[in-house]
Amino acid sequence: MADTSDSRTIAFLGATGKTGRAILRWLLAKEAPPFGLNIYVRSRSKLLDLFPEAASYSRVKILEGFVSDTEMIRQCLSGAQTIICTLGENENKAGIRILQDAAHSILDALGELKNSGSGWRKPRLILLSSSTYNARFAAARPPLIHWLIKTAFSHPYADLAAAQSLFLESSSLLSVLLVQPPLLIEEDASGYEISTDSVRLAVSYEDLGAAIFEMIMERGYDNLNAVGVSSRKGDGFGRYGPEIFRRIFRGLLVGYVPGFWVIQQVFDRIFSGGV
Ligand SMILES: NC(=O)c1ccc[n+]([C@@H]2O[C@H](COP(=O)([O-])OP(=O)(O)OC[C@H]3O[C@@H](n4cnc5c(N)ncnc54)[C@H](OP(=O)(O)O)[C@@H]3O)[C@@H](O)[C@H]2O)c1
């Protein structure tokens, strides 16, 4: 059973994303969270549309702005023993820097907090990563599929790899647990599996959120460096293969066909009535 009686402060970056929302649902499941929760967002109104109750809890603090604003990130991290980062990007757009920018801000802010003394303790970072960046999980994939996935998502993966390196090189400022899921998919929860040995083909956002909540609440994960998370029903090439290939195809188009992303956005706006 998760221990919900602790009184620590949790800093959360990425709560409005699909993974982030699935975690926040758990964190806000009790009427008033027993812990302090500092949430960084780039849109406060988006967060409150999703979680109106967040505005009414005295121990929930919402910080809105650019992730490069070190002073704001310092406020978000102040007093936090646990940092959750589910920021990221799924589209293979060139020039993505969200995770690197976040890493620089987080590390600068932690450096300042450490130097300011006042009872600073090294926090634990739970970072949403990818099974593609776990050598053991990746080795279990057919090499061609692994290459296609790395190529079709080369831009977000480059950002993730750079941010991960920055965090892992900064062991004096934080300790890191990499959460390395396979394909993230919007479907019902079927129960989660957390493993250091293997992952299945897919995990639902709901299962991933529940698994990360367990990692936040349970001390048993404190000495691990990397874990995979899968849905119990996350296997079956017939079930997930078409979606994997659809995303690979889209990633290759977005990443390597000049102008595709812009044209796609125009079509999306026209057909969603935005123009
Ligand atoms: N897709 C997969 O199958 C898969 C598999 C394994 C791992 N992953 C990893 O999962 C990550 C994506 O997770 P997800 O699906 O939960 O993502 P998501 O739903 O797109 O959420 C991304 C979060 O990052 C925030 N964000 C993005 N750009 C930002 C910026 N410039 N400034 C501030 N905040 C920003 C978003 O804020 P807003 O809500 O304001 O947009 C949102 O909170 C990727 O980085 C990828 O490496 C994906």
Side-chain angles (χ1 to χ4, degrees):
M1 261 279 281
D3 171 14
T4 50
S5 64
D6 71 281
S7 58
R8 70 192 144 142
T9 297
I10 296 170
F12 193 174
L13 298 87
T16 51
K18 289 178 189 159
T19 307
R21 284 174 228 171
I23 300 168
L24 193 55
R25 271 195 284 281
W26 282 96
L27 290 172
L28 297 181
K30 297 263 175 203
E31 236 172 55
F35 34 74
L37 187 56
N38 298 342
I39 305 176
Y40 157 72
V41 286
R42 62 175 162 179
S43 166
R44 182 187 172 88
S45 61
K46 179 173 181 181
L47 181 76
L48 293 180
D49 283 347
L50 292 164
F51 296 95
E53 70 273 30
S56 60
Y57 298 141
S58 60
R59 298 200 67 200
V60 175
K61 204 158 96 183
I62 302 170
L63 298 118
E64 179 190 58
F66 292 109
V67 79
S68 52
D69 180 345
T70 306
E71 170 50 27
M72 186 202 48
I73 296 296
R74 193 186 62 74
Q75 289 174 34
C76 181
L77 303 185
S78 179
Q81 292 88 45
T82 306
I83 304 168
I84 311 159
C85 179
T86 57
L87 295 169
E89 173 61 63
N90 286 309
E91 295 287 358
N92 192 27
K93 293 183 283 184
I96 292 167
R97 291 196 48 89
I98 171 61
L99 280 166
Q100 290 169 81
D101 289 347
H104 283 295
S105 294
I106 289 171
L107 294 171
D108 288 351
L110 288 179
E112 284 175 27
L113 289 166
K114 183 179 181 183
N115 291 336
S116 71
S118 61
W120 182 82
R121 274 172 39 207
K122 187 159 88 167
R124 177 83 162 149
L125 169 67
I126 299 176
L127 177 68
L128 177 60
S129 169
S130 167
S131 57
T132 300
Y133 277 92
N134 181 299
R136 184 178 291 183
F137 301 161
R141 282 180 183 160
L144 177 64
I145 300 287
H146 182 63
W147 179 84
L148 279 170
I149 290 173
K150 278 193 93 164
T151 306
F153 302 102
S154 57
H155 297 300
Y157 280 157
D159 186 34
L160 173 63
Q164 264 186 212
S165 298
L166 288 167
F167 285 131
L168 295 173
E169 285 159 9
S170 305
S171 57
S172 63
L173 292 176
L174 78 184
S175 73
V176 183
L177 174 60
L178 300 175
V179 180
Q180 301 185 304
L183 175 74
L184 304 183
I185 196 114
E186 291 182 74
E187 64 179 21
D188 290 343
S190 63
Y192 59 84
E193 289 175 347
I194 301 173
S195 170
T196 54
D197 293 328
S198 62
V199 285
R200 296 179 189 266
L201 277 182
V203 61
S204 71
Y205 281 105
E206 289 308 312
D207 286 330
L208 181 59
I212 294 178
F213 179 67
E214 180 175 308
M215 293 171 212
I216 296 164
M217 304 314 288
E218 301 272 0
R219 297 274 75 89
Y221 296 93
D222 284 359
N223 295 319
L224 291 177
N225 301 322
V227 291
V229 181
S230 313
S231 285
R232 283 194 196 286
K233 292 191 179 162
D235 264 333
F237 198 76
R239 186 169 175 188
Y240 297 111
E243 179 61 13
I244 290 172
F245 282 110
R246 189 193 70 77
R247 290 196 199 175
I248 287 173
F249 186 60
R250 183 185 168 88
L252 293 173
L253 287 175
V254 173
Y256 301 99
V257 177
F260 177 84
W261 176 248
V262 178
I263 294 164
Q264 169 84 34
Q265 291 304 291
V266 172
F267 269 88
D268 282 354
R269 290 193 69 195
I270 292 169
F271 290 113
S272 66
V275 172

